[in-house]
Amino acid sequence: MPATPLRFLAPFLLGLSLTMPVWAQVPPVGTEATFDVATWNVEWFGNDSNGPSDEDLQFERARQIIAGSGIDLWGLQEMADEATFSRLLDSLGTPYEGFLATQSGQLRIGYLYDSRVIRLRNQRHILTEFNFEFAGRPPLLMEADVTLSDTTLQAVFVVLHMKAGSQRGDYERRRDAVRRLKTHLDFFYTDVPLIVLGDFNDELRRSIWANTTSPYAPFNEDTTAYTMLSRPLDEANLGTFCSTDFCNGSTIDHIMISDEWRPFYQDGSMDRWFELVSVFPGYSRSITDHLPVYARFERTAPINTSRTQAPERPTANLQAYPTPFSSSLTIELEQPHSPDRATVYIYDVLGREVAALAVPPSGRVDWVPPGLPSGVYLLRTSDGRTALQPVIYRPR
């Protein structure tokens, strides 16, 4: 029988390529042996007027990527249509579950997860008092049980979508939001397994605004309590923002963990999912202008390794007395102190800054609360690496 000319097979092959389950071609990044998390900004997902022009194609490709990923928990940004997100959950079917923010405007943040691994305990917005600093998208916190091989962890997750833009005002809002977030996490979630993931809209080594100090410096410098897993991507100039399919823009999508997760982290597993650009030609035009960023965690913590020995948390380098106090609080800063450590910030228990005190060379300053209510207040030096020092104010 003579061979069939290739030109007659071409229409059939083209039709087959369009109907094949593309998820089978998606190279999974999660494994059965690990707990896998990812963050992904899916540009204007479900919006007819913004983002990729073909909404059906964006939906189908996003579904294929999630279904084929092997990821146990996704932190999502730019969910622009609640009905489309619900349709995504329905199309993925069991065991996927998820929810969206209630206070993040048109571009919502949210979670999508494998319910065999994650059991939701609670979810809520935090730091809603600082809506401006967080660009109308206050962090979305989830408390959940994470099922591992030999234990169940009660963990906390936080999804962020920080203020975008490379102007000074954008930078200052990110910087201020980070300061509020760190104070809140330090105070309420010390000794809790914590993962923060999202579109941070800035880099870690330096800011996209004027190459100045990164707004995430407070977390970068507190290496005892936090690890920016995505720091190596930043240092290698591996962009996660994709103005083209080269994805050579800024590294602005990040995952950060608290020290409780360090024994579980699989070294070197943090990466951007660049292979998707080859699987889906025209990725940045048809799906999103961000790459997913993911990390893997062992389901059993290593035993007797140096990674399980977290360094001791730093103690405060200041003293404050008396506590409780009724009129004036004396604050003494450990000597010597450098000029960049010569400020003491004071916060209420919601993380709101109520005072910033310049400390003179003597290292001593007095604080008289300006009509504040009674309660607990928290002190921290401007290096950001000292422990929060609580004091009690009880006005007469």
Side-chain angles (χ1 to χ4, degrees), residues 73 99 111 113 117-126 140-146 153-159 184 188-189 192-195:
L73 180 141
F99 57 91
Y111 292 91
Y113 53 89
V117 180
I118 300 288
R119 186 178 72 84
L120 177 66
R121 297 173 63 90
N122 191 15
Q123 58 96 359
R124 63 186 178 277
H125 285 284
I126 58 173
L140 184 59
L141 181 143
M142 177 173 72
E143 298 174 355
D145 293 331
V146 181
L153 286 182
Q154 291 186 10
V156 169
F157 303 89
V158 176
V159 170
H184 186 90
F188 289 104
Y189 298 102
V192 175
L194 171 73
I195 298 180

PDB file of all heavy atoms in Angstrom, residues 73 99 111 113 117-126 140-146 153-159 184 188-189 192-195:
ATOM      1  N   LEU A  73      -0.974  23.403  46.966  1.00  0.00           N
ATOM      2  CA  LEU A  73      -1.608  24.656  47.380  1.00  0.00           C
ATOM      3  C   LEU A  73      -1.137  25.790  46.486  1.00  0.00           C
ATOM      4  O   LEU A  73       0.072  25.984  46.298  1.00  0.00           O
ATOM      5  CB  LEU A  73      -1.285  24.974  48.837  1.00  0.00           C
ATOM      6  CG  LEU A  73      -1.890  26.272  49.376  1.00  0.00           C
ATOM      7  CD1 LEU A  73      -2.365  26.082  50.815  1.00  0.00           C
ATOM      8  CD2 LEU A  73      -0.880  27.431  49.320  1.00  0.00           C
ATOM      9  N   PHE A  99     -11.082  29.370  47.699  1.00  0.00           N
ATOM     10  CA  PHE A  99     -11.922  30.523  48.015  1.00  0.00           C
ATOM     11  C   PHE A  99     -11.175  31.790  47.635  1.00  0.00           C
ATOM     12  O   PHE A  99      -9.944  31.805  47.496  1.00  0.00           O
ATOM     13  CB  PHE A  99     -12.302  30.561  49.498  1.00  0.00           C
ATOM     14  CG  PHE A  99     -11.128  30.581  50.446  1.00  0.00           C
ATOM     15  CD1 PHE A  99     -10.582  31.779  50.883  1.00  0.00           C
ATOM     16  CD2 PHE A  99     -10.564  29.388  50.897  1.00  0.00           C
ATOM     17  CE1 PHE A  99      -9.502  31.802  51.753  1.00  0.00           C
ATOM     18  CE2 PHE A  99      -9.474  29.399  51.767  1.00  0.00           C
ATOM     19  CZ  PHE A  99      -8.949  30.613  52.192  1.00  0.00           C
ATOM     20  N   TYR A 111      -7.064  31.307  47.286  1.00  0.00           N
ATOM     21  CA  TYR A 111      -6.391  30.017  47.455  1.00  0.00           C
ATOM     22  C   TYR A 111      -7.098  28.950  46.639  1.00  0.00           C
ATOM     23  O   TYR A 111      -8.332  28.957  46.500  1.00  0.00           O
ATOM     24  CB  TYR A 111      -6.412  29.578  48.921  1.00  0.00           C
ATOM     25  CG  TYR A 111      -5.584  30.411  49.850  1.00  0.00           C
ATOM     26  CD1 TYR A 111      -6.131  31.515  50.504  1.00  0.00           C
ATOM     27  CD2 TYR A 111      -4.249  30.089  50.108  1.00  0.00           C
ATOM     28  CE1 TYR A 111      -5.382  32.275  51.384  1.00  0.00           C
ATOM     29  CE2 TYR A 111      -3.492  30.846  50.983  1.00  0.00           C
ATOM     30  CZ  TYR A 111      -4.059  31.934  51.622  1.00  0.00           C
ATOM     31  OH  TYR A 111      -3.313  32.692  52.483  1.00  0.00           O
ATOM     32  N   TYR A 113      -6.545  24.574  46.508  1.00  0.00           N
ATOM     33  CA  TYR A 113      -5.724  23.565  47.169  1.00  0.00           C
ATOM     34  C   TYR A 113      -6.340  22.175  47.052  1.00  0.00           C
ATOM     35  O   TYR A 113      -7.534  22.003  46.767  1.00  0.00           O
ATOM     36  CB  TYR A 113      -5.519  23.915  48.645  1.00  0.00           C
ATOM     37  CG  TYR A 113      -6.805  24.167  49.412  1.00  0.00           C
ATOM     38  CD1 TYR A 113      -7.487  23.136  50.047  1.00  0.00           C
ATOM     39  CD2 TYR A 113      -7.341  25.449  49.502  1.00  0.00           C
ATOM     40  CE1 TYR A 113      -8.667  23.362  50.745  1.00  0.00           C
ATOM     41  CE2 TYR A 113      -8.516  25.695  50.195  1.00  0.00           C
ATOM     42  CZ  TYR A 113      -9.171  24.646  50.814  1.00  0.00           C
ATOM     43  OH  TYR A 113     -10.335  24.870  51.494  1.00  0.00           O
ATOM     44  N   VAL A 117      -4.768  17.110  51.234  1.00  0.00           N
ATOM     45  CA  VAL A 117      -3.553  17.552  51.928  1.00  0.00           C
ATOM     46  C   VAL A 117      -3.838  18.719  52.860  1.00  0.00           C
ATOM     47  O   VAL A 117      -3.275  18.811  53.953  1.00  0.00           O
ATOM     48  CB  VAL A 117      -2.474  17.948  50.895  1.00  0.00           C
ATOM     49  CG1 VAL A 117      -1.198  18.410  51.589  1.00  0.00           C
ATOM     50  CG2 VAL A 117      -2.181  16.791  49.950  1.00  0.00           C
ATOM     51  N   ILE A 118      -4.730  19.600  52.450  1.00  0.00           N
ATOM     52  CA  ILE A 118      -5.046  20.818  53.198  1.00  0.00           C
ATOM     53  C   ILE A 118      -6.472  20.739  53.730  1.00  0.00           C
ATOM     54  O   ILE A 118      -7.416  20.488  52.974  1.00  0.00           O
ATOM     55  CB  ILE A 118      -4.927  22.063  52.296  1.00  0.00           C
ATOM     56  CG1 ILE A 118      -3.505  22.205  51.754  1.00  0.00           C
ATOM     57  CG2 ILE A 118      -5.367  23.316  53.039  1.00  0.00           C
ATOM     58  CD1 ILE A 118      -2.493  22.641  52.767  1.00  0.00           C
ATOM     59  N   ARG A 119      -6.626  20.959  55.029  1.00  0.00           N
ATOM     60  CA  ARG A 119      -7.961  21.071  55.603  1.00  0.00           C
ATOM     61  C   ARG A 119      -8.120  22.457  56.208  1.00  0.00           C
ATOM     62  O   ARG A 119      -7.418  22.828  57.138  1.00  0.00           O
ATOM     63  CB  ARG A 119      -8.207  20.011  56.687  1.00  0.00           C
ATOM     64  CG  ARG A 119      -9.663  20.005  57.206  1.00  0.00           C
ATOM     65  CD  ARG A 119      -9.887  18.919  58.238  1.00  0.00           C
ATOM     66  NE  ARG A 119      -9.246  19.228  59.506  1.00  0.00           N
ATOM     67  CZ  ARG A 119      -9.786  19.992  60.458  1.00  0.00           C
ATOM     68  NH1 ARG A 119     -10.983  20.537  60.272  1.00  0.00           N
ATOM     69  NH2 ARG A 119      -9.140  20.200  61.599  1.00  0.00           N
ATOM     70  N   LEU A 120      -9.043  23.235  55.640  1.00  0.00           N
ATOM     71  CA  LEU A 120      -9.251  24.609  56.071  1.00  0.00           C
ATOM     72  C   LEU A 120      -9.783  24.659  57.495  1.00  0.00           C
ATOM     73  O   LEU A 120     -10.746  23.985  57.839  1.00  0.00           O
ATOM     74  CB  LEU A 120     -10.233  25.301  55.121  1.00  0.00           C
ATOM     75  CG  LEU A 120     -10.620  26.740  55.465  1.00  0.00           C
ATOM     76  CD1 LEU A 120      -9.409  27.662  55.345  1.00  0.00           C
ATOM     77  CD2 LEU A 120     -11.752  27.215  54.553  1.00  0.00           C
ATOM     78  N   ARG A 121      -9.146  25.499  58.315  1.00  0.00           N
ATOM     79  CA  ARG A 121      -9.626  25.744  59.675  1.00  0.00           C
ATOM     80  C   ARG A 121     -10.277  27.120  59.784  1.00  0.00           C
ATOM     81  O   ARG A 121     -11.294  27.284  60.439  1.00  0.00           O
ATOM     82  CB  ARG A 121      -8.466  25.652  60.671  1.00  0.00           C
ATOM     83  CG  ARG A 121      -7.810  24.284  60.750  1.00  0.00           C
ATOM     84  CD  ARG A 121      -6.566  24.325  61.615  1.00  0.00           C
ATOM     85  NE  ARG A 121      -6.859  24.672  62.998  1.00  0.00           N
ATOM     86  CZ  ARG A 121      -7.145  23.782  63.946  1.00  0.00           C
ATOM     87  NH1 ARG A 121      -7.172  22.486  63.661  1.00  0.00           N
ATOM     88  NH2 ARG A 121      -7.395  24.181  65.187  1.00  0.00           N
ATOM     89  N   ASN A 122      -9.669  28.103  59.126  1.00  0.00           N
ATOM     90  CA  ASN A 122     -10.186  29.462  59.238  1.00  0.00           C
ATOM     91  C   ASN A 122      -9.576  30.293  58.120  1.00  0.00           C
ATOM     92  O   ASN A 122      -8.481  29.986  57.622  1.00  0.00           O
ATOM     93  CB  ASN A 122      -9.821  30.059  60.601  1.00  0.00           C
ATOM     94  CG  ASN A 122     -10.531  31.358  60.891  1.00  0.00           C
ATOM     95  OD1 ASN A 122     -11.508  31.707  60.216  1.00  0.00           O
ATOM     96  ND2 ASN A 122     -10.050  32.089  61.877  1.00  0.00           N
ATOM     97  N   GLN A 123     -10.264  31.350  57.715  1.00  0.00           N
ATOM     98  CA  GLN A 123      -9.708  32.281  56.739  1.00  0.00           C
ATOM     99  C   GLN A 123     -10.262  33.668  56.995  1.00  0.00           C
ATOM    100  O   GLN A 123     -11.409  33.832  57.380  1.00  0.00           O
ATOM    101  CB  GLN A 123     -10.012  31.818  55.298  1.00  0.00           C
ATOM    102  CG  GLN A 123     -11.473  31.643  54.969  1.00  0.00           C
ATOM    103  CD  GLN A 123     -12.090  32.862  54.279  1.00  0.00           C
ATOM    104  OE1 GLN A 123     -11.417  33.862  54.064  1.00  0.00           O
ATOM    105  NE2 GLN A 123     -13.363  32.746  53.960  1.00  0.00           N
ATOM    106  N   ARG A 124      -9.404  34.681  56.801  1.00  0.00           N
ATOM    107  CA  ARG A 124      -9.809  36.057  57.061  1.00  0.00           C
ATOM    108  C   ARG A 124      -8.780  37.017  56.475  1.00  0.00           C
ATOM    109  O   ARG A 124      -7.636  36.644  56.212  1.00  0.00           O
ATOM    110  CB  ARG A 124      -9.935  36.314  58.565  1.00  0.00           C
ATOM    111  CG  ARG A 124      -8.628  36.165  59.336  1.00  0.00           C
ATOM    112  CD  ARG A 124      -8.835  36.282  60.833  1.00  0.00           C
ATOM    113  NE  ARG A 124      -7.607  36.088  61.588  1.00  0.00           N
ATOM    114  CZ  ARG A 124      -7.104  34.906  61.912  1.00  0.00           C
ATOM    115  NH1 ARG A 124      -7.721  33.788  61.520  1.00  0.00           N
ATOM    116  NH2 ARG A 124      -5.988  34.811  62.619  1.00  0.00           N
ATOM    117  N   HIS A 125      -9.217  38.252  56.296  1.00  0.00           N
ATOM    118  CA  HIS A 125      -8.293  39.329  55.957  1.00  0.00           C
ATOM    119  C   HIS A 125      -7.605  39.826  57.215  1.00  0.00           C
ATOM    120  O   HIS A 125      -8.188  39.813  58.312  1.00  0.00           O
ATOM    121  CB  HIS A 125      -9.040  40.492  55.308  1.00  0.00           C
ATOM    122  CG  HIS A 125      -9.443  40.233  53.896  1.00  0.00           C
ATOM    123  ND1 HIS A 125      -8.554  40.281  52.847  1.00  0.00           N
ATOM    124  CD2 HIS A 125     -10.648  39.909  53.363  1.00  0.00           C
ATOM    125  CE1 HIS A 125      -9.199  40.011  51.731  1.00  0.00           C
ATOM    126  NE2 HIS A 125     -10.465  39.779  52.014  1.00  0.00           N
ATOM    127  N   ILE A 126      -6.375  40.275  57.068  1.00  0.00           N
ATOM    128  CA  ILE A 126      -5.667  40.925  58.165  1.00  0.00           C
ATOM    129  C   ILE A 126      -5.221  42.308  57.702  1.00  0.00           C
ATOM    130  O   ILE A 126      -5.126  42.587  56.505  1.00  0.00           O
ATOM    131  CB  ILE A 126      -4.448  40.113  58.651  1.00  0.00           C
ATOM    132  CG1 ILE A 126      -3.448  39.878  57.513  1.00  0.00           C
ATOM    133  CG2 ILE A 126      -4.898  38.778  59.244  1.00  0.00           C
ATOM    134  CD1 ILE A 126      -2.151  39.225  57.960  1.00  0.00           C
ATOM    135  N   LEU A 140      -4.644  38.077  52.705  1.00  0.00           N
ATOM    136  CA  LEU A 140      -5.633  37.035  52.975  1.00  0.00           C
ATOM    137  C   LEU A 140      -4.942  35.882  53.696  1.00  0.00           C
ATOM    138  O   LEU A 140      -4.039  35.247  53.143  1.00  0.00           O
ATOM    139  CB  LEU A 140      -6.259  36.540  51.670  1.00  0.00           C
ATOM    140  CG  LEU A 140      -7.379  35.510  51.793  1.00  0.00           C
ATOM    141  CD1 LEU A 140      -8.543  36.047  52.618  1.00  0.00           C
ATOM    142  CD2 LEU A 140      -7.868  35.073  50.412  1.00  0.00           C
ATOM    143  N   LEU A 141      -5.356  35.651  54.927  1.00  0.00           N
ATOM    144  CA  LEU A 141      -4.718  34.648  55.781  1.00  0.00           C
ATOM    145  C   LEU A 141      -5.589  33.398  55.863  1.00  0.00           C
ATOM    146  O   LEU A 141      -6.811  33.487  55.972  1.00  0.00           O
ATOM    147  CB  LEU A 141      -4.481  35.228  57.167  1.00  0.00           C
ATOM    148  CG  LEU A 141      -3.797  34.342  58.203  1.00  0.00           C
ATOM    149  CD1 LEU A 141      -2.849  35.170  59.072  1.00  0.00           C
ATOM    150  CD2 LEU A 141      -4.825  33.648  59.107  1.00  0.00           C
ATOM    151  N   MET A 142      -4.940  32.249  55.804  1.00  0.00           N
ATOM    152  CA  MET A 142      -5.620  30.969  55.948  1.00  0.00           C
ATOM    153  C   MET A 142      -4.927  30.154  57.029  1.00  0.00           C
ATOM    154  O   MET A 142      -3.703  29.986  57.005  1.00  0.00           O
ATOM    155  CB  MET A 142      -5.618  30.182  54.637  1.00  0.00           C
ATOM    156  CG  MET A 142      -6.248  28.791  54.763  1.00  0.00           C
ATOM    157  SD  MET A 142      -6.438  27.902  53.192  1.00  0.00           S
ATOM    158  CE  MET A 142      -4.734  27.478  52.826  1.00  0.00           C
ATOM    159  N   GLU A 143      -5.704  29.669  57.981  1.00  0.00           N
ATOM    160  CA  GLU A 143      -5.220  28.690  58.948  1.00  0.00           C
ATOM    161  C   GLU A 143      -5.698  27.323  58.485  1.00  0.00           C
ATOM    162  O   GLU A 143      -6.881  27.144  58.149  1.00  0.00           O
ATOM    163  CB  GLU A 143      -5.764  28.997  60.339  1.00  0.00           C
ATOM    164  CG  GLU A 143      -5.305  30.344  60.881  1.00  0.00           C
ATOM    165  CD  GLU A 143      -5.975  30.685  62.202  1.00  0.00           C
ATOM    166  OE1 GLU A 143      -6.866  29.915  62.632  1.00  0.00           O
ATOM    167  OE2 GLU A 143      -5.625  31.722  62.794  1.00  0.00           O
ATOM    168  N   ALA A 144      -4.795  26.353  58.466  1.00  0.00           N
ATOM    169  CA  ALA A 144      -5.151  25.049  57.913  1.00  0.00           C
ATOM    170  C   ALA A 144      -4.322  23.947  58.539  1.00  0.00           C
ATOM    171  O   ALA A 144      -3.220  24.184  59.051  1.00  0.00           O
ATOM    172  CB  ALA A 144      -4.947  25.044  56.392  1.00  0.00           C
ATOM    173  N   ASP A 145      -4.861  22.736  58.496  1.00  0.00           N
ATOM    174  CA  ASP A 145      -4.109  21.542  58.842  1.00  0.00           C
ATOM    175  C   ASP A 145      -3.455  21.009  57.572  1.00  0.00           C
ATOM    176  O   ASP A 145      -4.124  20.834  56.548  1.00  0.00           O
ATOM    177  CB  ASP A 145      -5.030  20.473  59.423  1.00  0.00           C
ATOM    178  CG  ASP A 145      -5.619  20.870  60.769  1.00  0.00           C
ATOM    179  OD1 ASP A 145      -4.960  21.629  61.497  1.00  0.00           O
ATOM    180  OD2 ASP A 145      -6.738  20.419  61.080  1.00  0.00           O
ATOM    181  N   VAL A 146      -2.155  20.770  57.640  1.00  0.00           N
ATOM    182  CA  VAL A 146      -1.406  20.227  56.505  1.00  0.00           C
ATOM    183  C   VAL A 146      -1.023  18.796  56.835  1.00  0.00           C
ATOM    184  O   VAL A 146      -0.311  18.537  57.803  1.00  0.00           O
ATOM    185  CB  VAL A 146      -0.146  21.062  56.217  1.00  0.00           C
ATOM    186  CG1 VAL A 146       0.607  20.488  55.022  1.00  0.00           C
ATOM    187  CG2 VAL A 146      -0.511  22.518  55.973  1.00  0.00           C
ATOM    188  N   LEU A 153       0.481  19.290  60.530  1.00  0.00           N
ATOM    189  CA  LEU A 153       0.904  20.596  60.997  1.00  0.00           C
ATOM    190  C   LEU A 153      -0.271  21.558  60.976  1.00  0.00           C
ATOM    191  O   LEU A 153      -1.024  21.604  60.003  1.00  0.00           O
ATOM    192  CB  LEU A 153       2.000  21.164  60.094  1.00  0.00           C
ATOM    193  CG  LEU A 153       3.411  20.597  60.185  1.00  0.00           C
ATOM    194  CD1 LEU A 153       4.325  21.348  59.224  1.00  0.00           C
ATOM    195  CD2 LEU A 153       3.948  20.717  61.603  1.00  0.00           C
ATOM    196  N   GLN A 154      -0.429  22.322  62.031  1.00  0.00           N
ATOM    197  CA  GLN A 154      -1.353  23.443  62.005  1.00  0.00           C
ATOM    198  C   GLN A 154      -0.552  24.646  61.531  1.00  0.00           C
ATOM    199  O   GLN A 154       0.289  25.177  62.257  1.00  0.00           O
ATOM    200  CB  GLN A 154      -1.953  23.683  63.387  1.00  0.00           C
ATOM    201  CG  GLN A 154      -2.895  22.592  63.844  1.00  0.00           C
ATOM    202  CD  GLN A 154      -3.592  22.938  65.152  1.00  0.00           C
ATOM    203  OE1 GLN A 154      -3.524  24.060  65.630  1.00  0.00           O
ATOM    204  NE2 GLN A 154      -4.272  21.956  65.719  1.00  0.00           N
ATOM    205  N   ALA A 155      -0.801  25.048  60.294  1.00  0.00           N
ATOM    206  CA  ALA A 155       0.018  26.060  59.642  1.00  0.00           C
ATOM    207  C   ALA A 155      -0.818  27.276  59.275  1.00  0.00           C
ATOM    208  O   ALA A 155      -2.048  27.234  59.242  1.00  0.00           O
ATOM    209  CB  ALA A 155       0.673  25.479  58.386  1.00  0.00           C
ATOM    210  N   VAL A 156      -0.109  28.363  58.991  1.00  0.00           N
ATOM    211  CA  VAL A 156      -0.727  29.606  58.562  1.00  0.00           C
ATOM    212  C   VAL A 156      -0.133  30.003  57.219  1.00  0.00           C
ATOM    213  O   VAL A 156       1.085  29.913  57.008  1.00  0.00           O
ATOM    214  CB  VAL A 156      -0.498  30.731  59.600  1.00  0.00           C
ATOM    215  CG1 VAL A 156      -0.910  32.086  59.042  1.00  0.00           C
ATOM    216  CG2 VAL A 156      -1.260  30.436  60.881  1.00  0.00           C
ATOM    217  N   PHE A 157      -0.997  30.420  56.303  1.00  0.00           N
ATOM    218  CA  PHE A 157      -0.581  30.895  54.992  1.00  0.00           C
ATOM    219  C   PHE A 157      -1.106  32.312  54.799  1.00  0.00           C
ATOM    220  O   PHE A 157      -2.190  32.661  55.277  1.00  0.00           O
ATOM    221  CB  PHE A 157      -1.124  29.983  53.887  1.00  0.00           C
ATOM    222  CG  PHE A 157      -0.710  28.550  54.030  1.00  0.00           C
ATOM    223  CD1 PHE A 157      -1.482  27.657  54.775  1.00  0.00           C
ATOM    224  CD2 PHE A 157       0.449  28.077  53.439  1.00  0.00           C
ATOM    225  CE1 PHE A 157      -1.108  26.333  54.921  1.00  0.00           C
ATOM    226  CE2 PHE A 157       0.837  26.753  53.586  1.00  0.00           C
ATOM    227  CZ  PHE A 157       0.058  25.876  54.324  1.00  0.00           C
ATOM    228  N   VAL A 158      -0.322  33.121  54.087  1.00  0.00           N
ATOM    229  CA  VAL A 158      -0.729  34.484  53.775  1.00  0.00           C
ATOM    230  C   VAL A 158      -0.472  34.730  52.296  1.00  0.00           C
ATOM    231  O   VAL A 158       0.640  34.502  51.807  1.00  0.00           O
ATOM    232  CB  VAL A 158       0.043  35.528  54.619  1.00  0.00           C
ATOM    233  CG1 VAL A 158      -0.334  36.942  54.191  1.00  0.00           C
ATOM    234  CG2 VAL A 158      -0.228  35.329  56.106  1.00  0.00           C
ATOM    235  N   VAL A 159      -1.510  35.186  51.576  1.00  0.00           N
ATOM    236  CA  VAL A 159      -1.362  35.559  50.173  1.00  0.00           C
ATOM    237  C   VAL A 159      -1.354  37.077  50.074  1.00  0.00           C
ATOM    238  O   VAL A 159      -2.186  37.761  50.678  1.00  0.00           O
ATOM    239  CB  VAL A 159      -2.486  34.976  49.303  1.00  0.00           C
ATOM    240  CG1 VAL A 159      -2.454  35.577  47.896  1.00  0.00           C
ATOM    241  CG2 VAL A 159      -2.344  33.465  49.192  1.00  0.00           C
ATOM    242  N   HIS A 184       2.796  42.599  62.543  1.00  0.00           N
ATOM    243  CA  HIS A 184       1.641  41.735  62.802  1.00  0.00           C
ATOM    244  C   HIS A 184       2.067  40.273  62.901  1.00  0.00           C
ATOM    245  O   HIS A 184       1.676  39.557  63.845  1.00  0.00           O
ATOM    246  CB  HIS A 184       0.619  41.911  61.680  1.00  0.00           C
ATOM    247  CG  HIS A 184      -0.668  41.197  61.908  1.00  0.00           C
ATOM    248  ND1 HIS A 184      -1.750  41.766  62.555  1.00  0.00           N
ATOM    249  CD2 HIS A 184      -1.055  39.933  61.582  1.00  0.00           C
ATOM    250  CE1 HIS A 184      -2.736  40.887  62.616  1.00  0.00           C
ATOM    251  NE2 HIS A 184      -2.345  39.772  62.030  1.00  0.00           N
ATOM    252  N   PHE A 188       1.719  38.048  66.352  1.00  0.00           N
ATOM    253  CA  PHE A 188       0.646  37.069  66.452  1.00  0.00           C
ATOM    254  C   PHE A 188       1.053  35.658  66.033  1.00  0.00           C
ATOM    255  O   PHE A 188       0.373  34.689  66.401  1.00  0.00           O
ATOM    256  CB  PHE A 188      -0.559  37.499  65.601  1.00  0.00           C
ATOM    257  CG  PHE A 188      -1.297  38.679  66.174  1.00  0.00           C
ATOM    258  CD1 PHE A 188      -1.152  39.933  65.613  1.00  0.00           C
ATOM    259  CD2 PHE A 188      -2.115  38.536  67.285  1.00  0.00           C
ATOM    260  CE1 PHE A 188      -1.832  41.028  66.133  1.00  0.00           C
ATOM    261  CE2 PHE A 188      -2.799  39.614  67.809  1.00  0.00           C
ATOM    262  CZ  PHE A 188      -2.657  40.865  67.239  1.00  0.00           C
ATOM    263  N   TYR A 189       2.135  35.497  65.266  1.00  0.00           N
ATOM    264  CA  TYR A 189       2.431  34.185  64.702  1.00  0.00           C
ATOM    265  C   TYR A 189       3.861  33.727  64.966  1.00  0.00           C
ATOM    266  O   TYR A 189       4.427  32.961  64.194  1.00  0.00           O
ATOM    267  CB  TYR A 189       2.115  34.187  63.193  1.00  0.00           C
ATOM    268  CG  TYR A 189       0.645  34.455  62.953  1.00  0.00           C
ATOM    269  CD1 TYR A 189       0.205  35.707  62.554  1.00  0.00           C
ATOM    270  CD2 TYR A 189      -0.305  33.471  63.202  1.00  0.00           C
ATOM    271  CE1 TYR A 189      -1.146  35.972  62.373  1.00  0.00           C
ATOM    272  CE2 TYR A 189      -1.656  33.721  63.033  1.00  0.00           C
ATOM    273  CZ  TYR A 189      -2.062  34.967  62.618  1.00  0.00           C
ATOM    274  OH  TYR A 189      -3.407  35.232  62.459  1.00  0.00           O
ATOM    275  N   VAL A 192       4.796  29.763  64.880  1.00  0.00           N
ATOM    276  CA  VAL A 192       3.760  29.113  64.064  1.00  0.00           C
ATOM    277  C   VAL A 192       4.332  28.861  62.673  1.00  0.00           C
ATOM    278  O   VAL A 192       4.931  29.761  62.083  1.00  0.00           O
ATOM    279  CB  VAL A 192       2.504  30.011  63.959  1.00  0.00           C
ATOM    280  CG1 VAL A 192       1.479  29.394  63.020  1.00  0.00           C
ATOM    281  CG2 VAL A 192       1.892  30.230  65.335  1.00  0.00           C
ATOM    282  N   PRO A 193       4.181  27.638  62.113  1.00  0.00           N
ATOM    283  CA  PRO A 193       4.639  27.397  60.738  1.00  0.00           C
ATOM    284  C   PRO A 193       3.896  28.322  59.770  1.00  0.00           C
ATOM    285  O   PRO A 193       2.681  28.255  59.636  1.00  0.00           O
ATOM    286  CB  PRO A 193       4.285  25.930  60.493  1.00  0.00           C
ATOM    287  CG  PRO A 193       4.183  25.329  61.859  1.00  0.00           C
ATOM    288  CD  PRO A 193       3.642  26.421  62.740  1.00  0.00           C
ATOM    289  N   LEU A 194       4.631  29.191  59.096  1.00  0.00           N
ATOM    290  CA  LEU A 194       4.043  30.259  58.293  1.00  0.00           C
ATOM    291  C   LEU A 194       4.662  30.268  56.899  1.00  0.00           C
ATOM    292  O   LEU A 194       5.884  30.176  56.757  1.00  0.00           O
ATOM    293  CB  LEU A 194       4.291  31.609  58.978  1.00  0.00           C
ATOM    294  CG  LEU A 194       3.950  32.873  58.198  1.00  0.00           C
ATOM    295  CD1 LEU A 194       2.443  33.059  58.107  1.00  0.00           C
ATOM    296  CD2 LEU A 194       4.598  34.098  58.858  1.00  0.00           C
ATOM    297  N   ILE A 195       3.810  30.406  55.885  1.00  0.00           N
ATOM    298  CA  ILE A 195       4.271  30.595  54.508  1.00  0.00           C
ATOM    299  C   ILE A 195       3.545  31.811  53.939  1.00  0.00           C
ATOM    300  O   ILE A 195       2.321  31.888  53.983  1.00  0.00           O
ATOM    301  CB  ILE A 195       3.998  29.362  53.624  1.00  0.00           C
ATOM    302  CG1 ILE A 195       4.758  28.141  54.150  1.00  0.00           C
ATOM    303  CG2 ILE A 195       4.400  29.645  52.172  1.00  0.00           C
ATOM    304  CD1 ILE A 195       4.533  26.870  53.334  1.00  0.00           C
TER     305      ILE A 195
END
